[in-house]
Amino acid sequence: MEKQKTEEPTGKAKITKAYNLPCRYVLHTVGPIIHGTVTVKDQNLLSDCYRSCLELAAAYHLKSVAFCCISTGEFHFPNEKAAEIAIQTVQDYQKENQNSLEVVFNVFKDSDYKIYKQLLG
């Protein structure tokens, strides 16, 4: 943040080169931080994170994008609700935009795997 002189807005995304990572680009987004009850605004901001990333991926003609569990963990968004929002946002985007972008939900915890497996069943 010091070098760019400004904070990144919640719900927006930007793209950078991937350098030594095994991909061409990295999409960056800041999800909402939850303090107490999840609000409609929090839900909309999380959806905006996914949508902004998808729009960038399409603009750069990417063939695939992998998402981690945005805003969960240290940002305290409940995992199941976050997964519901992620899946619904991606499905809505794919219906509205007939492109062949492959979307991967990349999870690290067994509990998240179970949530996504159940929701995508």
Side-chain angles (χ1 to χ4, degrees):
M1 182 174 86
E2 278 184 32
K3 287 187 178 184
Q4 66 185 26
K5 307 284 187 224
T6 182
E7 290 188 23
E8 294 296 326
T10 302
K12 302 297 179 195
K14 68 190 236 181
I15 191 167
T16 63
K17 293 179 186 176
Y19 299 100
N20 293 328
L21 295 173
C23 55
R24 291 186 0 220
Y25 299 101
V26 174
L27 298 169
H28 305 269
T29 188
V30 177
I33 300 171
I34 304 303
H35 302 286
T37 304
V38 177
T39 66
V40 171
K41 180 180 178 183
D42 295 327
Q43 294 177 53
N44 290 337
L45 285 169
L46 184 59
S47 181
D48 291 346
C49 290
Y50 286 96
R51 190 174 306 98
S52 294
C53 288
L54 293 165
E55 290 168 353
L56 267 179
Y60 277 75
H61 307 287
L62 303 184
K63 294 181 176 149
S64 64
V65 61
F67 288 115
C68 60
C69 300
I70 299 171
S71 254
T72 62
E74 292 298 315
F75 283 19
H76 307 290
F77 210 108
N79 293 52
E80 189 158 342
K81 187 63 179 171
E84 291 170 4
I85 292 167
I87 291 167
Q88 188 63 56
T89 302
V90 168
Q91 288 174 340
D92 291 347
Y93 179 85
Q94 288 176 325
K95 284 178 191 170
E96 295 166 9
N97 300 277
Q98 300 298 319
N99 59 32
S100 58
L101 183 65
E102 178 186 10
V103 176
V104 174
F105 294 107
N106 185 30
V107 298
F108 298 102
K109 295 188 219 170
D110 289 340
S111 57
D112 288 323
Y113 177 79
K114 289 176 187 174
I115 291 168
Y116 275 89
K117 186 174 181 177
Q118 178 186 2
L119 292 173
L120 291 169

